[in-house]
Amino acid sequence: MEVIWYLLTSFGLTAILIEGKPTKPIRRLAARIGGDEWGGYLFRCYQCLGFWVGLGVGLLFFWGDPLKLITAPFVSSGFCWALGRWVKAQVEIKFMGGGEDGGEEM
């Protein structure tokens, strides 16, 4: 159960940092400091940011277990990538479906 909470926490924080309006200043600052190629890309990539978020969250969840602590960022990266792709695909399907959000009514 601990791993499930870890993964959901990592994805939630990653999604907020990438998509959230309140974190837009953080994304702009990262792009300004690291340039668009490093800082800007980091905050557009679920896999990349998921690794670093997973590292931080992993320190909170798995402090006493070195094996989990070492593997946690990699697992988080893959989970955030997969779930992020799925979420983005759902949003694209919704907007292509028509109605109020865009597209044509059939």
Side-chain angles (χ1 to χ4, degrees):
M1 193 65 170
E2 182 182 45
V3 173
I4 293 170
W5 282 113
Y6 164 75
L7 290 173
L8 292 175
T9 302
S10 294
F11 177 74
L13 185 54
T14 300
I16 289 169
L17 288 170
I18 290 176
E19 306 288 344
K21 285 185 181 180
T23 56
K24 194 171 191 173
I26 295 171
R27 292 191 299 269
R28 286 184 181 160
L29 181 64
R32 189 175 304 136
I33 291 172
D36 192 48
E37 198 168 305
W38 184 86
Y41 182 75
L42 177 67
F43 280 88
R44 288 190 305 268
C45 174
Y46 274 93
Q47 186 176 10
C48 306
L49 191 58
F51 177 87
W52 295 107
V53 167
L55 181 64
V57 174
L59 288 171
L60 298 174
F61 273 80
F62 308 122
W63 182 255
D65 189 345
L67 181 61
K68 284 183 182 176
L69 191 58
I70 291 169
T71 59
F74 298 101
V75 174
S76 172
S77 177
F79 183 77
C80 289
W81 172 81
L83 205 52
R85 295 288 257 181
W86 183 79
V87 167
K88 288 203 176 259
Q90 299 306 310
V91 170
E92 289 175 13
I93 290 170
K94 179 181 175 186
F95 286 129
M96 291 175 59
E100 295 177 17
D101 296 324
E104 297 177 8
E105 291 284 337
M106 296 185 123

